[in-house]
């Protein structure tokens, strides 16, 4: 239906980073970038957002195991895509798995114009999901569970919004455009080639640093 309007180019990447920096500085002046922690005694349930591909799901497994081993009395849920649910369905550390259709999300590259492209793709996905009864039912069910922590392992604008809607306390990457949606965030975005640490290590640090013993 839609075709790619522009391919990724160096100027687009630089512009994207500049826009992120401007957003973060703006939110910082409004005092919206403060990182908070949550006392462990207030946590009864945890949801991990992993609504993407198989490879992404695999690198989340160590974190899932660690969470359940450290906090065995906490309910641990995973919201997955139809594609990657096979990775989670036999996992003994997960209490319940929820799945949604992310078909339009996998085509997020069809408009690669900084800011405008993201807005277009978000609107397209929004109207697509309005027709998806399972998507709406799943979100209503998750909302009814009064989840205490939502960990956004995907780290995109739409999952940041989902996290804020579904949980009382949100953890994610340093996604500058919507940084105010997270109560605690990492030092960088998840996919950061400049980082000296593997993404799995950054998952661990970000999640456990957000929780007070």
């Amino acid at each position: 239906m839609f075709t790619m309007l522009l391919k990724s180019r160096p100027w687009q990447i630089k512009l994207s980073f500049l826009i992120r920096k401007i957003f973060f500085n703006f939110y910082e002046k409004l005092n919206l970038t403060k990182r908070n922690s949550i006392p462990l005694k207030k946590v009864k349930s945890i949801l991990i957002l992993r609504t993407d591909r198989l490879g992404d799901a695999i690198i989340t497994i160590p974190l899932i195991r660690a969470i359940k081993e450290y906090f065995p009395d906490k309910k641990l849920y995973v919201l997955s895509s139809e594609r990657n649910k096979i990775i989670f369905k036999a996992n003994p550390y997960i209490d319940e798995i929820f799945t949604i259709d992310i078909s339009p999300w996998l085509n997020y590259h069809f408009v690669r114009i900084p800011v405008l492209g993201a807005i277009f793709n978000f609107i397209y996905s929004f109207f697509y999901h309005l027709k998806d009864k399972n998507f709406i039912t799943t979100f209503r069910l998750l909302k009814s569970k009064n989840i205490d922590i939502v960990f956004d392992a995907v780290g995109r604008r739409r999952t940041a919004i989902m996290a804020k809607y579904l949980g009382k306390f949100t953890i994610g990457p340093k996604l500058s455009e919507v940084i105010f949606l997270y109560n605690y965030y990492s030092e960088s975005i998840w996919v950061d080639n400049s980082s000296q640490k593997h993404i799995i290590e950054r998952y661990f640090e970000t999640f456990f640093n957000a929780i007070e013993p």
Side-chain angles (χ1 to χ4, degrees), residues 97-177:
I97 303 168
F98 301 87
T99 60
I100 56 173
D101 173 24
I102 59 161
S103 298
W105 300 7
L106 299 179
N107 296 320
Y108 58 78
H109 288 301
F110 51 51
V111 178
R112 291 301 299 268
I113 303 173
V115 181
L116 293 178
I119 293 173
F120 175 84
N121 296 339
F122 179 83
I123 293 173
Y124 174 74
S125 297
F126 175 77
F127 282 103
Y128 177 92
H129 288 304
L130 281 181
K131 301 181 296 181
D132 186 348
K133 292 182 179 179
N134 177 65
F135 184 91
I136 295 173
T137 300
T138 299
F139 268 70
R140 285 177 176 170
L141 181 57
L142 283 169
K143 185 67 175 177
S144 70
K145 290 185 177 293
N146 294 314
I147 295 167
D148 297 302
I149 294 179
V150 177
F151 181 80
D152 180 7
V154 181
R156 300 191 66 80
R157 284 172 287 264
R158 55 179 157 259
T159 50
I161 294 171
M162 288 162 55
K164 193 66 177 179
Y165 173 74
L166 293 173
K168 301 173 186 175
F169 187 92
T170 56
I171 306 172
K174 188 178 181 180
L175 199 61
S176 300
E177 306 95 309

Side-chain angles (χ1 to χ4, degrees), residues 195-210:
S195 178
Q196 299 298 311
K197 297 178 181 179
H198 193 276
I199 187 172
I200 295 177
E201 187 177 358
R202 286 183 280 127
Y203 277 168
F204 272 69
E205 285 187 355
T206 305
F207 182 85
F208 288 104
N209 286 342

Side-chain angles (χ1 to χ4, degrees), residues 74-110:
K74 314 301 181 187
K75 286 289 186 180
L76 180 56
Y77 308 115
V78 170
L79 177 60
S80 77
S81 64
E82 291 289 343
R83 287 192 175 193
N84 66 26
K85 69 178 180 181
I86 190 173
I87 301 296
F88 300 119
K89 68 179 183 179
N91 193 312
Y93 302 103
I94 301 172
D95 291 294
E96 195 170 356
I97 303 168
F98 301 87
T99 60
I100 56 173
D101 173 24
I102 59 161
S103 298
W105 300 7
L106 299 179
N107 296 320
Y108 58 78
H109 288 301
F110 51 51

Side-chain angles (χ1 to χ4, degrees), residues 4 6 20 29 53 64 68 75 92 100 107 126 207:
M4 184 183 294
L6 288 173
R20 286 177 178 171
K29 289 181 179 179
R53 297 174 173 85
I64 290 172
K68 200 62 176 179
K75 286 289 186 180
I100 56 173
N107 296 320
F126 175 77
F207 182 85

